Amino acid sequence: MEEFPAEEIKIIEFGEEDAIEISEIFKHVWPQANDYPEHWRKKRMYSPEQIIEEMRLGYHYFGSRLQGKIVGLYKAKITEKGLLGEHQTVDPDCRATGLASAMYIQFAEYGRANNCKRNYCNILVGQKVGEKLMLKYGFQPWGEPFHQSEGMLVQMYERLLDDESDFL
């Protein structure tokens, strides 16, 4: 895959018409996510029907395309605590391109635009890339680490959205 020019990264919201392609990237990326237990990786490979059902339940899928193909995405849902982000998925050919960073910036922008007090997400304890992004974008640990699934210790992180004078 060709280089992903950082200045060309555009994060857009996907719709139900994108469910098949979203499912395909999940089935491409998650089998290789060896930091996670196998049962969790299998659970993250949603079918198009599961994606559409989540969209209808209030989840928003955001991401980017390169040469017309979805190469990265995450999902978000507004909750009573703020804007929850999860299921970040980046094509291995597009890692270290700024794509994940662009998604974190858009995550904050979307939260602010929807009057959320915070962004929050779970990061696998010891996953260096995720922990580095949390630090880079001003997230702080929120609560104690917990087992999100058997054999999978995560730390919830929050980023308060009341300060406009940050990375945006």
Side-chain angles (χ1 to χ4, degrees):
M1 188 168 284
E2 116 182 11
E3 181 82 15
F4 201 131
E7 65 278 358
E8 294 181 21
I9 298 173
K10 303 277 186 276
I11 306 301
I12 60 170
E13 184 167 1
F14 298 121
E16 291 182 15
E17 68 277 6
D18 299 304
I20 292 171
E21 194 175 355
I22 292 169
S23 177
E24 288 170 357
I25 191 169
F26 286 159
K27 290 176 180 163
H28 172 66
V29 172
W30 282 91
Q32 302 173 53
N34 294 322
D35 292 350
Y36 295 87
E38 185 176 2
H39 71 275
W40 184 258
R41 289 183 280 146
K42 286 181 179 178
K43 185 177 168 181
R44 303 315 271 177
M45 293 185 274
Y46 290 2
S47 69
E49 295 77 21
Q50 288 172 297
I51 293 161
I52 290 169
E53 180 180 340
E54 279 202 338
M55 287 177 173
R56 292 179 180 174
L57 291 172
Y59 280 92
H60 299 267
Y61 281 74
F62 297 101
S64 192
R65 294 180 181 276
L66 178 61
Q67 299 174 340
K69 178 183 171 197
I70 295 175
V71 292
L73 63 104
Y74 77 98
K75 67 181 185 182
K77 184 172 186 177
I78 297 171
T79 72
E80 68 284 347
K81 296 176 185 176
L83 183 62
L84 169 65
E86 55 185 358
H87 213 148
Q88 190 174 54
T89 304
V90 176
D91 186 300
D93 291 338
C94 290
R95 295 204 176 125
T97 61
L99 178 54
S101 291
M103 286 191 274
Y104 276 104
I105 291 168
Q106 185 272 342
F107 181 40
E109 291 170 347
Y110 188 80
R112 283 194 180 111
N114 286 277
N115 299 313
C116 295
K117 296 192 182 332
R118 71 175 49 88
N119 287 141
Y120 67 105
C121 57
N122 295 322
I123 299 293
L124 197 61
V125 171
Q127 186 185 48
K128 299 300 178 207
V129 172
E131 291 173 348
K132 181 179 175 183
L133 285 165
M134 294 295 95
L135 181 63
K136 179 177 181 179
Y137 290 107
F139 284 80
Q140 300 294 321
W142 190 21
E144 296 298 319
F146 64 96
H147 288 274
Q148 188 170 10
S149 187
E150 184 180 332
M152 197 172 102
L153 188 65
V154 299
Q155 172 66 58
M156 185 179 292
Y157 284 85
E158 70 170 338
R159 180 172 191 284
L160 299 179
L161 295 175
D162 58 0
D163 181 8
E164 292 284 345
S165 63
D166 53 20
F167 64 89
L168 297 177

